[in-house]
């Protein structure tokens, strides 16, 4: 009797134990599957190249993994009110270049798309603020300095933004930024206060937000402008108007002017700091570009 009772108890214990095991095992499996599913659904886990920041280096400008990675880093346009230091200003640049560019588009709203590389703090010296606030443009702000980019975010600009530099090649890499990221310019040699920042090909960044046409492209990256221009696949990207700062370029300015001319872009303005290049066909469609000005580009 005692033996039979022990056997029955053992059987009941085994059954209960198996039940507990399968119950919690099933719950554990579901939990693991759920967590794994979430990880796989997360864009940063869809490729082993996303696991660390360092793994984006050396990728070609058309690499889907690189484009997806940039898309993850991209901040969408703000829906909050502007938070500007000088909200009453209309034009923010030295040399009136933002006014000149704004006047090209004439009165009233004309929705378009801009890109400003070297966005600074999103307000100071901004070429594109007028286009965004007064003419209803959408756009993209690119700033390499981490500290300046923090300020870009606080301005609540109605544009995409990303903290990155532009690569002077058609592959992703890391570049040195001076002043611990405060001064906002690239350097060739490492110094005490320099830091490494991610640098992406310009074409890859545009692919990340599905843009292939730019109305106004402002490029101010402290001497690297011409190097970056030469990386752009112009057969895939169209630009109406370029604003290119040239004061710190090491290459002869005439070389860049000739390069742009071969691409079909004519120099239409020079304020001793910036060149403005434009596609003549694009200009003729702008309400602010009159017949007298057209003679300058024939």
């Amino acid at each position: 009797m005692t033996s039979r009772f022990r056997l029955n108890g053992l059987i009941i214990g085994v059954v209960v134990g198996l039940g507990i095991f399968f119950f919690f095992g099933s719950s554990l499996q579901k939990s693991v599957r759920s967590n794994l599913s979430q990880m796989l659904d997360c864009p940063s886990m869809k490729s082993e190249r996303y696991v660390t920041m360092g793994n984006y280096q050396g990728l070609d400008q058309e690499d889907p993994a690189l484009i997806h990675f940039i898309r993850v880093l991209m901040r969408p346009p703000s829906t909050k009110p502007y938070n500007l230091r000088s909200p009453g200003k209309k034009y923010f640049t030295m040399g009136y270049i933002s006014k000149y560019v704004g006047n090209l588009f004439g009165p009233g709203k004309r929705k378009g798309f801009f890109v400003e590389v070297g966005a600074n703090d999103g307000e100071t010296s901004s070429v594109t603020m007028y286009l965004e606030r007064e003419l209803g443009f959408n756009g993209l702000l690119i700033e390499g300095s981490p500290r300046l980019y923090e300020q870009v975010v606080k301005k609540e600009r109605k544009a995409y933004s990303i903290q990155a530099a532009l690569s002077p090649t058609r592959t992703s890499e890391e570049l040195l930024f001076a002043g611990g990221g405060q001064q906002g310019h690239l350097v060739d040699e490492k110094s005490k206060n320099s830091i490494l920042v991610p640098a992406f090909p310009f074409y890859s960044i545009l692919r990340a937000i599905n843009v292939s046409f730019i109305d106004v492209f402002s490029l101010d990256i402290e001497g690297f402008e011409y190097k970056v221009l030469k990386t752009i696949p112009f057969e895939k990207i169209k630009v109406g108007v370029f604003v290119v700062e040239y004061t710190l370029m090491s290459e002869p300015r005439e070389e860049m002017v000739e390069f742009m001319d071969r691409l079909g872009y004519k120099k239409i303005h020079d304020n001793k700091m910036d060149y403005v290049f434009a596609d003549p066909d694009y200009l003729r469609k702008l309400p602010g570009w009159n017949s007298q000005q057209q003679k300058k580009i024939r």
Side-chain angles (χ1 to χ4, degrees):
M1 185 75 177
T2 302
S3 176
R4 186 178 297 172
F5 177 77
R6 287 177 179 172
L7 179 60
N8 289 339
L10 179 61
I11 293 172
I12 292 171
V14 171
V15 170
V16 171
L18 287 173
I20 293 172
F21 173 81
F22 283 114
F23 175 78
F24 285 103
S26 176
S27 298
L28 181 62
Q29 280 185 322
K30 288 178 181 178
S31 176
V32 170
R33 285 197 192 106
S34 176
N35 291 337
L36 182 59
S37 176
Q38 290 176 17
M39 291 171 65
L40 292 175
D41 285 340
C42 175
S44 64
M45 293 296 293
K46 288 185 177 178
S47 167
E48 61 182 11
R49 282 182 285 187
Y50 296 146
V51 175
T52 64
M53 283 291 289
N55 286 335
Y56 67 74
Q57 293 187 68
L59 302 186
D60 180 76
Q61 64 178 359
E62 301 212 44
D63 192 310
L66 175 62
I67 294 166
H68 202 150
F69 181 64
I70 294 170
R71 190 173 293 133
V72 171
L73 299 179
M74 190 75 65
R75 182 180 289 268
S78 174
T79 57
K80 297 179 181 179
Y82 286 110
N83 180 32
L84 303 179
R85 185 175 57 256
S86 303
K89 268 189 175 183
K90 285 182 71 175
Y91 306 107
F92 293 82
T93 57
M94 296 172 62
Y96 301 101
I97 195 67
S98 62
K99 184 176 182 179
Y100 176 85
V101 171
N103 286 343
L104 286 177
F105 296 90
K109 287 188 177 293
R110 181 190 178 279
K111 292 187 180 295
F113 192 88
F114 66 77
V115 174
E116 185 160 15
V117 186
N120 202 298
D121 63 4
E123 179 178 358
T124 305
S125 302
S126 175
V127 175
T128 62
M129 180 68 80
Y130 177 84
L131 299 173
E132 182 180 308
R133 283 204 305 171
E134 306 297 329
L135 301 183
F137 275 49
N138 299 316
L140 167 64
L141 302 169
I142 301 174
E143 174 54 53
S145 163
R147 296 192 181 185
L148 286 175
Y149 183 70
E150 286 179 8
Q151 298 303 311
V152 172
V153 173
K154 291 177 182 178
K155 302 296 180 184
E156 305 294 352
R157 293 285 302 266
K158 310 304 179 272
Y160 290 97
S161 66
I162 187 170
Q163 189 260 301
L166 291 190
S167 172
T169 69
R170 293 190 176 189
T171 59
S172 56
E173 54 186 294
E174 284 187 319
L175 295 178
L176 288 166
F177 240 75
Q182 298 179 70
Q183 299 176 26
H185 66 272
L186 295 169
V187 291
D188 291 317
E189 297 182 3
K190 189 173 183 179
S191 63
K192 182 178 179 180
N193 293 322
S194 63
I195 61 170
L196 285 171
V197 299
F200 304 122
F202 182 58
Y203 178 64
S204 306
I205 296 176
L206 289 188
R207 283 283 305 277
I209 55 173
N210 298 314
V211 169
S212 59
F213 183 83
I214 303 165
D215 292 272
V216 179
F217 180 13
S218 173
L219 185 60
D220 181 358
I221 48 177
E222 308 301 309
F224 282 73
E225 291 83 3
Y226 185 35
K227 293 180 179 68
V228 165
L229 285 172
K230 289 189 290 185
T231 70
I232 297 174
F234 285 96
E235 71 280 5
K236 298 177 181 179
I237 296 173
K238 303 301 179 186
V239 180
V241 176
F242 285 90
V243 180
V244 184
E245 207 263 359
Y246 60 74
T247 55
L248 295 179
M249 275 176 41
S250 59
E251 302 90 346
R253 299 170 192 169
E254 296 77 13
E255 185 178 329
M256 182 172 69
V257 173
E258 292 172 2
F259 172 77
M260 297 300 289
D261 186 72
R262 289 195 299 272
L263 292 169
Y265 294 97
K266 305 301 180 181
K267 185 180 75 172
I268 61 171
H269 184 71
D270 178 6
N271 67 350
K272 309 306 178 185
M273 293 175 59
D274 311 276
Y275 285 140
V276 179
F277 301 101
D279 174 358
D281 292 334
Y282 177 83
L283 279 181
R284 293 185 183 101
K285 299 175 184 177
L286 297 180
W289 185 255
N290 60 46
S291 58
Q292 188 63 32
Q293 291 171 311
Q294 289 181 22
K295 295 178 181 178
K296 299 178 182 178
I297 60 171
R298 288 178 180 171

